[in-house]
Amino acid sequence: MSENLRPDRTYAVAAFAAIAVFVGTWTLLHVGFYRHKQIADTPVYQRYGNQIAHGKVPYRDFHLEYPPGALPMFALPGLAAPGHGQNVKPGFRRTFETLMWMCGAVALLAMALTLRALRADPWVPLLFAAVAPLALGSVILSRFDLWPAVLVAGATAALVSARFRTGHVLLGIGAAAKFYPGVLLPLAVAYTWKRRGRREALFCLGLAVGVFALIFLPFVVLAPGGVWHSVSVQLGRPLQVESLGAALLLVAHHVFGFGLAGETSHGSQNVAGTAADVLGIASTVVQVAVLVWIWVAFARGPATSSALVRASAAAVCAFIAFGKVLSPQFLIWLIPVVPLVRGRRGLWAGALLLAALVLTQVWFPFRYFRLALDFEAGLSWVLLARDLMLVALALLLASSLRRDAIRPEYP
């Protein structure tokens, strides 16, 4: 059957089949070696949920490091099953994991809608996304990153389906939950500008900013210092041990005997010292430069749905690959967007993403502290290989955007 004539029911069948596979994936993540040596954030989330369940106001009555859009993921399990102390109550954990499972299932539905708008075959991308958590590992069970990821997936589906205002609202909510969806806003505005004109693009930008501000505003009014603390903690984080800059220092430590020291702060293990500080600043400069390059290249090219998908995947990947912080859960952000890229480039992108997921699981969680505290040589090389995979993925996706101005690949 012609690609342009593929019936809508194909996408519905593929979406529900992928969700069924995702159920199996989620189940397997609870058995066998996936259960061993887990490093979970759910005890932290439970403390937040308990405080909210007891009537305390976030940012005013207790500190937390996440923006206000993340609060539902802590409050709902906390209200449903409040716990005590450091141990995660089974009820809290089950409720939290149910929320994350639902986010993953909805993300698959949103991917199907995007693929329908692209008139692309849905089976390989959706099934890849459904089984990808097995390659990454149990980290997906105890992090709330599927929440902003589903908002990004929904925003992408809305934009390519010409529901521009809905797409921008979802990006505003997503940015209020984890900040990173904000890197897609310039792409969304440029896409809307070219498709619907300047007035609609500016209105949509106002919607995104307005929703973001509306989520923050109550907490800024009640506890401006607490909100600023949560933002400044993120902005002031040092060079995290799994970032590209840290991987280069670790390899230099083993090859050239370069002196290296670690520190634990900001809820992570980091590399300390002048060289680490310099590389942290350099990483941020490169990260911003690559993002601007992607935004400008997309804005100068044709406003096609496929180009938007590739630019979005490139922007998220560049934000991850070149940042001074690169936690394992960041790779969750890529699972609903990279498989949407079409053609031969999409196959290469999928292969690079799969390699990055598997390499991450080589040390996290099973050997994490051997890497983060002991700087083990073999794991340092694996870390560098993973980070270079992400760099290659970002450049692969970004390099096609300027060529689209001459010869668009897809409608």
Side-chain angles (χ1 to χ4, degrees):
M1 178 177 291
S2 171
E3 188 176 57
N4 292 342
L5 298 178
R6 186 176 288 111
D8 286 349
R9 66 175 177 271
T10 300
Y11 296 95
V13 171
F16 286 106
I19 290 173
V21 173
F22 183 61
V23 171
T25 294
W26 201 260
T27 302
L28 289 174
L29 288 170
H30 291 82
V31 300
F33 72 91
Y34 288 112
R35 299 178 60 187
H36 300 158
K37 298 184 178 180
Q38 293 188 6
I39 302 175
D41 279 1
T42 37
V44 178
Y45 301 163
Q46 179 182 283
R47 290 200 299 272
Y48 297 153
N50 289 346
Q51 302 263 35
I52 295 170
H54 294 150
K56 294 187 177 181
V57 177
Y59 308 104
R60 187 190 70 182
D61 300 328
F62 63 95
H63 286 303
L64 70 162
E65 59 180 296
Y66 304 109
L71 290 175
M73 300 301 106
F74 316 141
L76 292 175
L79 293 171
H84 303 281
Q86 299 294 319
N87 296 322
V88 180
K89 298 285 284 187
F92 183 96
R93 185 182 65 247
R94 283 195 296 267
T95 305
F96 175 79
E97 289 189 10
T98 298
L99 285 174
M100 292 302 99
W101 179 90
M102 292 170 62
C103 287
V106 174
L108 289 170
L109 292 174
M111 290 178 66
L113 292 175
T114 300
L115 292 164
R116 185 183 67 173
L118 296 174
R119 300 193 297 276
D121 179 76
W123 288 99
V124 172
L126 292 178
L127 292 176
F128 179 95
V131 301
L134 292 177
L136 180 59
S138 61
V139 64
I140 199 170
L141 300 176
S142 61
R143 306 299 193 277
F144 75 93
D145 293 78
L146 277 171
W147 168 231
V150 70
L151 292 169
V152 167
T156 304
L159 290 168
V160 299
S161 302
R163 299 184 180 275
F164 301 103
R165 297 183 181 186
T166 301
H168 283 77
V169 167
L170 291 174
L171 283 180
I173 299 172
K178 193 82 178 190
F179 290 136
Y180 88 86
V183 304
L184 303 182
L185 187 57
L187 303 174
V189 172
Y191 183 73
T192 305
W193 191 307
K194 290 196 171 188
R195 287 288 183 121
R196 290 291 174 86
R198 180 178 64 181
R199 183 175 181 179
E200 180 67 12
L202 293 177
F203 183 83
C204 288
L205 174 60
L207 277 177
V209 174
V211 168
F212 178 87
L214 188 63
I215 294 172
F216 266 81
L217 184 60
F219 300 99
V220 171
V221 171
L222 290 171
V227 173
W228 171 243
H229 172 77
S230 71
V231 174
S232 62
V233 164
Q234 297 299 323
L235 294 177
R237 293 187 66 173
L239 189 69
Q240 195 257 350
V241 73
E242 294 170 87
S243 65
L244 176 62
L248 293 172
L249 288 178
L250 262 63
V251 169
H253 170 70
H254 293 294
V255 175
F256 304 109
F258 183 82
L260 208 58
E263 65 171 10
T264 298
S265 64
H266 297 75
S268 65
Q269 283 65 50
N270 315 298
V271 181
T274 303
D277 293 340
V278 170
L279 274 177
I281 295 171
S283 295
T284 301
V285 171
V286 172
Q287 181 189 52
V288 172
V290 174
L291 285 171
V292 171
W293 170 41
I294 292 169
W295 296 337
V296 172
F298 175 76
R300 289 180 174 178
T304 64
S305 298
S306 290
L308 176 65
V309 167
R310 276 182 283 119
S312 298
V316 174
C317 191
F319 183 80
I320 296 171
F322 297 106
K324 63 179 179 178
V325 177
L326 206 174
S327 297
Q329 62 265 26
F330 290 6
L331 274 70
I332 297 170
W333 308 346
L334 297 173
I335 293 175
V337 291
V338 171
L340 298 174
V341 178
R342 300 174 61 187
R344 186 179 303 171
R345 186 177 293 104
L347 294 176
W348 279 108
L352 288 171
L353 175 58
L354 180 62
L357 295 174
V358 172
L359 288 173
T360 300
Q361 193 174 178
V362 168
W363 72 80
F364 193 91
F366 310 110
R367 305 172 184 87
Y368 174 70
F369 291 106
R370 288 162 53 183
L371 170 68
L373 300 181
D374 301 332
F375 304 150
E376 187 172 303
L379 295 178
S380 298
W381 284 102
V382 175
L383 170 64
L384 180 61
R386 191 284 305 269
D387 290 347
L388 292 177
M389 291 288 178
L390 292 174
V391 170
L393 176 57
L395 296 179
L396 171 71
L397 296 169
S399 63
S400 67
L401 297 174
R402 292 298 297 272
R403 289 198 295 269
D404 281 353
I406 301 173
R407 187 178 61 186
E409 290 191 14
Y410 305 112

